[in-house]
Amino acid sequence: MRRWSVVVPKVASVDAQDRGAVQQEQPVTLEAVERRVLWLSTAIIDHANRVRPNPSGLKVGGHQASSASMTSIMTALWFHALTSEDRVSVKPHASPVLHAINYLLGELDESYLTTLRAFGGLQSYPSRSKDPDPVDYSTGSVGIGATAPLWGALARRYVEGHFGGVGTGRQYSLLGDAELDEGAIWEAIQDPAVPDLGEVVWVVDLNRQSLDRVVPGIAAERLQATFAAAGWQVITLKYGHLLRELFTRPGGEALRARIDAMGNPEYQRLLRCSADQLRERLPGTGSTAAPIAGLIAELDDATLLAALRNLGGHDLGTLCEAYDAVDDTRPTVIFAYTVKGHRLPTEGHPQNHSSLLTGDQMRALADSLGTDLDRPWTPFTEGSAEADLCAAAARRLRRPLREPQAPPTVPPDLGRAAPSGTGTTQQALGRVLLDLTRQAPRAAGRIVTVSPDVSSTTNLGGWLNKVGVWSPAERTNWFADDAETILHWREKQTGQHMELGIAETNLVGLLGELGATWSRWGQPLLPIGVVYDPFVNRALEPWSFGIYAGGQSILVGTPAGVTLAPEGGAHQSITTPSLGVEQPGCVSYEPAFAIDTEWCLLAALGNLGRPEGNSAYLRLSTRPVDQSLAAVPSDPAARERRRRQVTAGGYRLRQHDQPAVTLAAMGAMVPQALAAADRLAALGYGADVVCVTSPDLLFRALQARRGLADAPDWILDQIFPAERATPLLTVLDGHPHTLAFLATVNNVPVATLGVSGFGQSGDLQDVYRYHGIDTDSIVAAGLDLID
C-alpha cells in the first residue's frame, strides 16, 4: 500500500496567458521525448508479458495499442502545459504512459518498470493508494475516473472557500472515446454545478475503436454538439500540420472532403495498406477521385503514409496550441483524433486492443525509435536537450510536501438524555447535525452534506437552514420573505450543504472527492451523502471506487426496506444490509433507535479524514418507534457501556432468566422482536433479545476470533455469551442471509427471517405479514426452533 503524502500547490495562480509561456521547448526535443515515452510504455507491458517469468501461465495483459494512442496527448500535456497546481485523471489503459512519464520526471524508480501487474508493483490501472509513483486520480472503472475531476474541482473550490491554501489549477481528464458510451459521463456534464467549472479540461482520445471493433458510424459531431449544448468549450483536433498543408494544395479540398465523409472502418483499413495500395484506394470514386490521385501522386511513399496518420491527436504542435487556447471561464473538451496503436505494427487493426508485440516486433520498434531492446530503461544522456527538458518539467511540476491537518475531534456522545416518545432514525440524523453545531462547532465546521434533490425528505431541512447551501457565489433567495417557506434556500460561499441534480452517481462521485481532500490538499472534511436507500445500488459502484481511491465519507440510505410500505416494491430496498457488510473500507450500521443513530453517526464521523480512517454506511428508517424501548441506562458508566456496544455491533436489549431462544433483530424490526419475545414468554418460553446495530462489525469480530482478521472480538462475548447459547432466530428488513452467520458464534440451530422477494404496497402490518417478518411470523418461527 502506498504511503499517503499530501501535496499542496503554490498559492499563486497560473493564468491563461502565463500557461502559453510555461515551457519554451523545441519541437524536435519534444518529439524525441514523445518517442521515448512511446518506447517505455510499450516496453513496460512487453516485459510484464514476454520477459518476466510467469510460472502460473495466466495472462498478465496490458494495452500497448491503447497506450500508443495517448503518448502524444500526454507528452504535450506534461512537458508543455501542466503546472504544479493541475491534476490529471488518466484513462485506465494508458497507465503505462503515466508511469513512463513519471520515470522520465524522476518520480518513479527504474526498478518498478519491470513490475507492471506484479504483486506490490505498478497497478493494472492508475491508483492513488497502491501505485508507487504520483497518481492524481484512480481510474479503472469506465466513466467514473473520467468524471472524477469534475467533482475534484468542486471539492477544491469548497475547501478553498472555507479554509484557503489550496490554490487554483486545472483538472484534466484523459479518456477514450468508447468511454463516452457510459451514462455516468452524460449525467455528470448535465449537472447544474458543472457549467461554472472553468478549470475542467477533458481530452478525448478519439481513436474510433472500442475493445472488440472499430466503432461504426461517425459520432464526433453529435458528441461535440452535446457538450456545446451543455455550455462547454469544444475544441476539435482532427488533422495535423502535414495534412492541413496538403489541404491547401490543388486537390486538397477534395482530399479533405473524402476523409471527412469516410466511415471509421474504411479509414482504419487504409491504415493497414502499403503506399501502393493507398494510392489505389484513397482516391475513391466519383468526381473527386482524379484530383486526389493527382495530389498524392506528388508525394513520396513515406510522406503519403505519414500524412494519413497525421491526425491532430498525434501532432505535438497542434496539441500544444490547443492546451494554450483553453478558455478558463467554462469547461473545455478537446476531441483529439488519434490512431489506436500509433506507430506500432498493430496500428489501426480492429483487434489490437489487447494484442502484444512479438520479440522481433519489439526489436524493430526499438530500432525505429532510437533505443535498445536489450537496455530498455536507459535514460536520456545527461546534458542532452531531452534530459534538460525532462528536468525542467520536473522542477515545474514538483509539489511541496506538507503533512495533513488532523481532523477535528468528534465527541463520542453528545450527552443528550435518551429521547422519549416516538421518533425515527431518519429524524435523528438531522438532530445530531444540529446538536454538533452547538456542542462541537469545530467538528461541525468540517461537515459537508450532499444530496441529490432530497434534502427536505431526508430530514436535513433544519441543518440546511442553519448552515446554508454552498455556491461559488452568493445568490438571491427570492423566497426569503415568503412566510410559508419552511426550507430556507440561502446559497452562499460559506454554505455547508451541496445540492446536485437527481443522479446518484454524481452524488457519490462528489462524495468520494470531498472525502479525499485530506490526502489531496491536507484539509480533512467530514462528508455525508444522503440518498434514498433503494437507490444505493445505483450509486454503489462509484461510491465503492471512491473508497478504493482513498475517499472517506458517510453514505446515508434513507428511508429503507419494505418498512416504506405504501411506496411499493420500486422503493423498497432488500439487498443493501448485506452490501454494507461486503463493502471494503466501510463500516455499515443499521440502528433501531435515535440514541443508537447518534452514537453510530458520531463514531463514523470520528473515523473520517485520516490515513487509518474508513467510510461508513448508515441505513435509516422513517418508521416511528417508541424510544423508551431502547431502555438506555441512566447510570453514566452503564450508558457508556451501552454506547461502546452500539458502536461495536450490538447489545443485549432484553435478557430472560431462563431463555429458550435468542431473537437477534436489526433496525425497524426490533419492535416486532420485542413484541414476539413478550408473546413467547406468555407461552412459557423465555427469549433473549439482541439488538444488532452493525452486522458488519460482528462479522469482523467473528473472523478475528477465528484468526482470519485483525479486529476486536470482545463484543461477541458480551452479546452472545456461550453460557446463554440457545437456538437463534434472526430478523431484519432486508435479505435474511445478512444475519445468518451469527449462528456460528456459538454453533446453534438458526432460523433466518427477512425479505427475499420484491415488495408490495400496503399497510405496514400487511406488508410485514406478506414477507413473514411480522410478530406472528417471528413467534411461529421461534416455536419451531424451540421444538
Side-chain angles (χ1 to χ4, degrees), residues 656 658 660 678-686:
H656 198 275
Q658 294 181 325
D678 291 338
R679 293 260 300 276
L680 288 168
L683 293 171
Y685 302 105

Side-chain angles (χ1 to χ4, degrees), residues 324-524:
D324 295 341
V326 167
D327 176 4
D328 286 315
T329 66
R330 55 180 173 151
T332 295
V333 59
I334 299 173
F335 285 93
Y337 280 73
T338 62
V339 174
K340 192 167 184 175
H342 182 59
R343 301 182 75 164
L344 301 184
T346 58
E347 67 177 348
H349 194 280
Q351 281 84 54
N352 66 5
H353 183 78
S354 298
S355 63
L356 298 168
L357 271 60
T358 65
D360 290 341
Q361 289 174 326
M362 285 295 299
R363 192 166 297 280
L365 180 67
D367 293 342
S368 70
L369 296 176
T371 186
D372 186 349
L373 178 61
D374 298 321
R375 300 174 62 236
W377 322 123
T378 303
F380 287 119
T381 303
E382 186 174 353
S384 66
E386 295 84 358
D388 290 346
L389 175 58
C390 292
R395 289 192 297 271
R396 185 180 76 250
L397 298 176
R398 188 165 296 124
R399 301 167 182 169
L401 296 176
R402 190 180 76 183
E403 289 300 315
Q405 291 191 21
T409 299
V410 178
D413 189 346
L414 297 177
R416 175 191 285 266
S420 57
T422 61
T424 74
T425 54
Q426 179 177 293
Q427 290 170 341
L429 169 67
R431 190 199 71 200
V432 173
L433 294 179
L434 285 175
D435 284 350
L436 278 170
T437 63
R438 294 184 289 267
Q439 299 189 40
R442 188 166 173 269
R446 293 279 172 169
I447 292 175
V448 52
T449 55
V450 188
S451 168
D453 199 37
V454 293
S455 303
S456 57
T457 54
T458 54
N459 286 87
L460 287 183
W463 161 260
L464 192 147
N465 287 344
K466 176 74 174 180
V467 302
V469 179
W470 179 82
S471 174
E474 189 161 344
R475 296 174 181 172
T476 301
N477 178 12
W478 293 104
F479 285 85
D481 58 349
D482 188 332
E484 296 183 5
T485 298
I486 299 176
L487 188 65
H488 301 292
W489 206 261
R490 295 190 297 269
E491 298 181 80
K492 51 188 180 180
Q493 289 179 311
T494 57
Q496 290 179 240
H497 175 78
M498 303 180 79
E499 188 85 359
L500 297 180
I502 307 176
E504 287 76 15
T505 298
N506 291 350
L507 173 128
V508 295
L510 176 56
L511 204 60
E513 290 306 317
L514 290 168
T517 60
W518 67 272
S519 61
R520 202 184 293 285
W521 292 294
Q523 289 285 359

Side-chain angles (χ1 to χ4, degrees), residues 572-698:
Q572 294 172 352
S573 54
I574 299 171
T575 62
T576 48
S578 59
L579 290 175
V581 176
E582 297 156 12
Q583 175 59 51
C586 166
V587 176
S588 68
Y589 298 99
E590 186 168 345
F593 302 105
I595 191 66
D596 297 354
T597 304
E598 174 184 311
W599 290 334
C600 291
L601 180 60
L602 294 175
L605 287 169
N607 278 326
L608 300 179
R610 60 187 75 240
E612 70 282 4
N614 54 255
S615 295
Y617 160 56
L618 271 71
R619 190 175 191 247
L620 304 183
S621 174
T622 53
R623 181 187 180 184
V625 172
D626 179 1
Q627 297 299 306
S628 67
L629 294 176
V632 180
S634 58
D635 179 80
R639 175 188 171 105
E640 172 59 16
R641 182 174 184 268
R642 168 70 68 85
R643 185 200 65 79
R644 290 181 64 245
Q645 290 176 333
V646 166
T647 57
Y651 56 96
R652 300 182 69 79
L653 184 56
R654 184 173 295 179
Q655 186 164 298
H656 198 275
D657 291 340
Q658 294 181 325
V661 67
T662 299
L663 309 181
M666 186 167 72
M669 301 313 303
V670 169
Q672 261 63 37
L674 290 170
D678 291 338
R679 293 260 300 276
L680 288 168
L683 293 171
Y685 302 105
D688 287 349
V689 178
V690 173
C691 180
V692 175
T693 55
S694 175
D696 185 3
L697 291 176
L698 295 183

Side-chain angles (χ1 to χ4, degrees), residues 232-255:
W232 290 51
Q233 177 192 20
V234 178
I235 298 175
T236 301
L237 310 181
K238 190 168 187 178
Y239 302 117
H241 285 83
L242 174 56
L243 266 178
R244 296 205 301 270
E245 191 278 326
L246 290 179
F247 294 156
T248 66
R249 300 185 187 182
E253 285 299 323
L255 176 61

Side-chain angles (χ1 to χ4, degrees), residues 146-164:
T147 56
L150 295 175
W151 318 126
L154 281 173
R156 187 208 62 78
R157 287 195 181 196
Y158 183 93
V159 172
E160 176 65 24
H162 283 76
F163 310 107

Side-chain angles (χ1 to χ4, degrees), residues 4 128-129 138 512 515-519 545-552 615:
W4 286 109
R128 289 190 69 228
S129 59
S138 295
T517 60
W518 67 272
S519 61
F545 198 81
I547 295 174
Y548 169 80
Q552 297 173 9
S615 295

